[in-house]
């Protein structure tokens, strides 16, 4: 799966979110399933099995004594790596610290068991911030300030810091729209707009200075690194 194909999957996942809501795992099932299928093909070895939502038996595999929402890779039924995926649709500033801290804790938990762990973080360069009544209070635009934590993380030495994923994919999308979306007043009209109007989803043109542990806007390169690491164990 190349970047263009990955964008198609992200658009399908976004559509599922609009149709089923934030609490449904439908959007995750589509995304995890596609990544898992791609990884299984790249590993190309019957000794490896990939477990996730939307692929195979449709369940994650136990790793390091707990279940978390991620893809797990096993070799001869022994966990050898894990991948976590976060696709943020709205209200990023409200939850950004929780997202990041959970990622660090989860990664340290797995890597302490000497199991490589990878993260995928996906977000739009402009997304709505919904208030408690479903109104759009503001539109959030991704800036270097928003991603400062990830920029610092990207320069960590993974051998010294077990909370740092072996590799992280930061993938920022841009939704091409024919109208000024900032005029949409609430969640209902936001969902109806994207469910009933065609739109293009592309890779954002935003530039950031990430270090070696983060791969930016290149799914194909990231999943190649994951495959290489697993096969090198």
């Amino acid at each position: 799966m190349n970047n263009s194909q990955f964008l198609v999957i992200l658009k399908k996942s976004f559509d599922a979110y609009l149709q089923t809501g934030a609490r449904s795992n439908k959007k995750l099932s589509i995304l995890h399933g596609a990544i898992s299928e791609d990884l299984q093909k790249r590993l190309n070895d019957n000794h490896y099995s990939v477990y996730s939502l939307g692929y195979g038996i449709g369940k994650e595999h136990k790793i390091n004594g707990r279940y978390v929402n991620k893809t797990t890779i096993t070799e001869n039924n022994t966990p050898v790596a894990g991948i976590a995926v976060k696709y943020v649709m709205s209200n990023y500033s409200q939850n950004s610290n929780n997202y990041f801290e959970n990622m660090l804790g989860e990664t340290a938990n797995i890597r302490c068991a000497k199991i490589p762990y990878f993260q995928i973080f996906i977000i739009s360069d402009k997304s709505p911030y919904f208030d408690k009544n479903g109104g759009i209070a503001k539109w959030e635009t991704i800036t270097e300030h928003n991603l400062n934590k990830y920029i610092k993380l990207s320069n960590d030495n993974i051998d010294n810091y077990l909370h740092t994923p072996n590799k992280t994919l930061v993938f920022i999308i841009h939704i091409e729209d024919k109208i000024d979306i900032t005029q949409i007043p609430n969640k209902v009209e936001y969902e109806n707009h994207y469910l009933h109007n065609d739109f293009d989803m592309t890779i954002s043109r935003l530039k950031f200075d990430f270090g070696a542990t983060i791969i930016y806007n290149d799914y194909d390169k990231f999943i190649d690194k994951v495959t290489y690491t697993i096969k090198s164990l």
Side-chain angles (χ1 to χ4, degrees), residues 16-233:
Y17 156 77
L18 296 172
Q19 293 171 12
T20 63
R23 295 186 179 183
S24 170
N25 69 359
K26 181 66 175 176
K27 69 167 186 176
L28 295 175
S29 181
I30 292 170
L31 183 54
H32 283 242
I35 294 169
S36 299
E37 182 178 5
D38 186 33
L39 182 57
Q40 185 77 69
K41 289 178 180 177
R42 291 176 189 244
L43 289 168
N44 193 29
D45 189 325
N46 291 333
H47 291 101
Y48 295 106
S49 298
V50 183
Y51 296 87
S52 80
L53 292 172
Y55 181 73
I57 62 174
K59 296 180 180 179
E60 295 86 10
H61 195 278
K62 190 174 183 180
I63 182 170
N64 199 29
R66 60 185 283 195
Y67 287 95
V68 292
N69 192 21
K70 66 181 176 304
T71 295
T72 307
I73 303 93
T74 67
E75 183 178 12
N76 297 321
N77 210 37
T78 299
V80 294
I83 304 177
V85 183
K86 174 63 67 176
Y87 190 176
V88 179
M89 305 291 189
S90 64
N91 292 50
Y92 175 60
S93 61
Q94 175 183 329
N95 300 298
S96 62
N97 287 337
N98 285 339
Y99 292 149
F100 192 74
E101 289 167 6
N102 289 342
M103 180 194 76
L104 298 183
E106 184 179 285
T107 301
N109 182 52
I110 304 301
R111 291 198 62 217
C112 280
K114 301 187 185 303
I115 296 174
Y117 201 58
F118 304 89
Q119 296 271 353
I120 299 175
F121 177 73
I122 306 156
I123 192 169
S124 176
D125 55 13
K126 180 181 287 187
S127 58
Y129 186 99
F130 300 117
D131 62 31
K132 62 181 180 180
N133 297 315
I136 297 180
K138 60 182 177 180
W139 288 87
E140 298 184 312
T141 301
I142 294 298
T143 65
E144 185 169 328
H145 174 74
N146 300 130
L147 297 179
N148 186 51
K149 297 185 288 291
Y150 292 89
I151 293 172
K152 289 182 178 179
L153 184 77
S154 73
N155 292 296
D156 281 352
N157 184 323
I158 64 169
D159 294 326
N160 295 334
Y161 299 104
L162 294 180
H163 63 263
T164 304
N166 293 75
K167 287 291 181 185
T168 298
L169 172 65
V170 173
F171 204 89
I172 302 181
I173 60 172
H174 177 73
I175 298 177
E176 299 279 356
D177 214 302
K178 297 178 181 179
I179 68 165
D180 180 4
I181 56 171
T182 62
Q183 300 304 307
I184 298 176
N186 56 55
K187 187 175 183 179
V188 172
E189 291 191 33
Y190 172 81
E191 292 172 347
N192 286 337
H193 171 69
Y194 285 112
L195 286 172
H196 297 102
N197 294 280
D198 192 28
F199 62 92
D200 291 325
M201 185 175 284
T202 62
I203 294 176
S204 174
R205 295 181 179 179
L206 294 176
K207 303 294 183 183
F208 300 100
D209 188 20
F210 290 112
T213 69
I214 283 184
I215 295 172
Y216 180 50
N217 280 355
D218 194 335
Y219 167 83
D220 191 46
K221 180 179 179 181
F222 169 80
I223 209 69
D224 266 349
K225 294 287 187 181
V226 173
T227 305
Y228 176 80
T229 299
I230 294 170
K231 288 192 169 187
S232 299
L233 296 174

